[in-house]
Amino acid sequence: MTLETLTTQLNQLNTRFDEINTMNALTPEEQWRKGMMLQQIGRELKKLRKKLI
């Protein structure tokens, strides 16, 4: 994995995080969905970290 590819993927995850973090989750279902999306970003970050090691 090149540094450019890694940087691009991190920027995409950061953009998704910002979008999700600014969502207004008013109902329990929306809060659950927001939490699931944030967990997915966390899993993707973990995969990227493993590629760095």
Side-chain angles (χ1 to χ4, degrees):
M1 174 174 289
T2 66
L3 185 58
E4 291 175 10
T5 305
L6 180 63
T7 303
T8 300
Q9 290 180 346
L10 285 172
N11 285 338
Q12 289 172 348
L13 287 175
N14 189 45
T15 300
R16 281 181 39 211
F17 176 81
D18 288 342
E19 290 171 355
I20 293 168
N21 209 30
T22 58
M23 286 176 30
N24 290 329
L26 303 177
T27 67
E29 181 181 322
E30 290 172 336
Q31 292 171 357
W32 177 81
R33 194 174 329 131
K34 181 177 177 178
M36 295 301 291
M37 289 187 280
L38 290 173
Q39 285 180 4
Q40 178 64 31
I41 289 174
R43 286 190 292 273
E44 292 176 28
L45 280 172
K46 189 174 182 178
K47 289 177 190 176
L48 288 176
R49 274 190 220 112
K50 285 183 180 179
K51 291 180 182 179
L52 285 174
I53 296 172

